[in-house]
Amino acid sequence: AVYESSHPSPSPRDATSGFSEKESKEGGRAKNNAISAATKAGFECAKRAEDVLMHMQRMHEKQLQVSNVKGTLDQYSSEIQPDTRVFNLVLKAWSNIRGGTKASAIRAMRILDLMQELHHVQSLSAPKWQGIVLSKVQPNLQTYKLVLHAWAHAAHTAEGPDRAEEIL
């Protein structure tokens, strides 16, 4: 699994422990709302939003594995899979921390890296429309703006401008 292979598991203090797999649709919407609320606060809330995002991704990957084993992949609804909008909400949380730090900017970069990795993996099997790959996770202009914003607000780091330039 993409997430499991390249990113450590979030802490056991997971904000999503109350959701069961069977509540995927409702849980997905509720998790989107939880992430959206977390974008209005500081570091702890941004971390919590990232934890919810990673939990959603793990649940999605687990469901994919179960569907592959059972041969029911075509019946699987990927409602729980975080999409670009959800990733951008978490990036917004990291980029809006007042007096942001290098750590918050690095977290934003790691999320961008995960998005790019997921997009690459999904684009191998995603449907196409007029030559455009239709994958659920695809970094867009807002994604890059949010990561640049995180680096621009990373207080007390001289490398912020250089890292922002690397992204461009």
Side-chain angles (χ1 to χ4, degrees), residues 72-155:
T72 59
L73 189 58
D74 56 332
Q75 297 172 2
Y76 169 61
S77 169
S78 63
E79 287 279 332
I80 195 68
Q81 179 189 15
D83 58 11
T84 301
R85 181 178 163 274
V86 174
F87 275 93
N88 283 348
L89 285 170
V90 175
L91 287 171
K92 183 178 178 184
W94 283 120
S95 68
N96 282 345
I97 295 174
R98 285 196 173 92
T101 64
K102 182 178 175 180
S104 58
I106 288 171
R107 298 289 283 259
M109 282 296 297
R110 286 179 47 204
I111 292 169
L112 173 60
D113 291 343
L114 176 60
M115 284 182 78
Q116 291 171 331
E117 185 178 349
L118 288 170
H119 175 66
H120 174 72
V121 169
Q122 289 175 2
S123 66
L124 299 175
S125 62
K128 291 186 169 98
W129 178 74
Q130 296 184 353
I132 299 170
V133 175
L134 303 174
S135 79
K136 226 173 161 180
V137 178
Q138 184 168 5
N140 58 22
L141 180 61
Q142 182 184 9
T143 306
Y144 291 100
K145 282 181 175 180
L146 289 166
V147 175
L148 288 170
H149 188 76
W151 277 110
H153 288 85

Side-chain angles (χ1 to χ4, degrees), residues 6-7 11 15 21 27 32 39 51-52 55 85-86 100 109 112 123 127 132 137 143 146 154 158 161 168:
S6 61
H7 299 281
S11 70
E21 287 181 42
N32 288 349
T39 64
D51 289 346
V52 172
H55 180 77
R85 181 178 163 274
V86 174
M109 282 296 297
L112 173 60
S123 66
I132 299 170
V137 178
T143 306
L146 289 166
L168 295 175

Side-chain angles (χ1 to χ4, degrees), residues 18-87:
F19 294 104
S20 70
E21 287 181 42
K22 143 176 146 177
E23 299 171 321
S24 290
K25 279 188 182 182
E26 294 81 14
R29 281 188 219 109
K31 289 174 186 175
N32 288 349
N33 292 339
I35 290 171
S36 182
T39 64
K40 297 175 177 72
F43 190 89
E44 277 303 312
C45 288
K47 184 178 180 321
R48 179 70 53 100
E50 184 178 333
D51 289 346
V52 172
L53 169 74
M54 296 308 170
H55 180 77
M56 290 172 70
Q57 183 62 31
R58 278 193 317 276
M59 284 181 63
H60 166 68
E61 290 180 5
K62 181 179 177 184
Q63 199 59 35
L64 279 177
Q65 289 172 351
V66 169
S67 296
N68 272 334
V69 169
K70 290 182 179 178
T72 59
L73 189 58
D74 56 332
Q75 297 172 2
Y76 169 61
S77 169
S78 63
E79 287 279 332
I80 195 68
Q81 179 189 15
D83 58 11
T84 301
R85 181 178 163 274
V86 174
F87 275 93

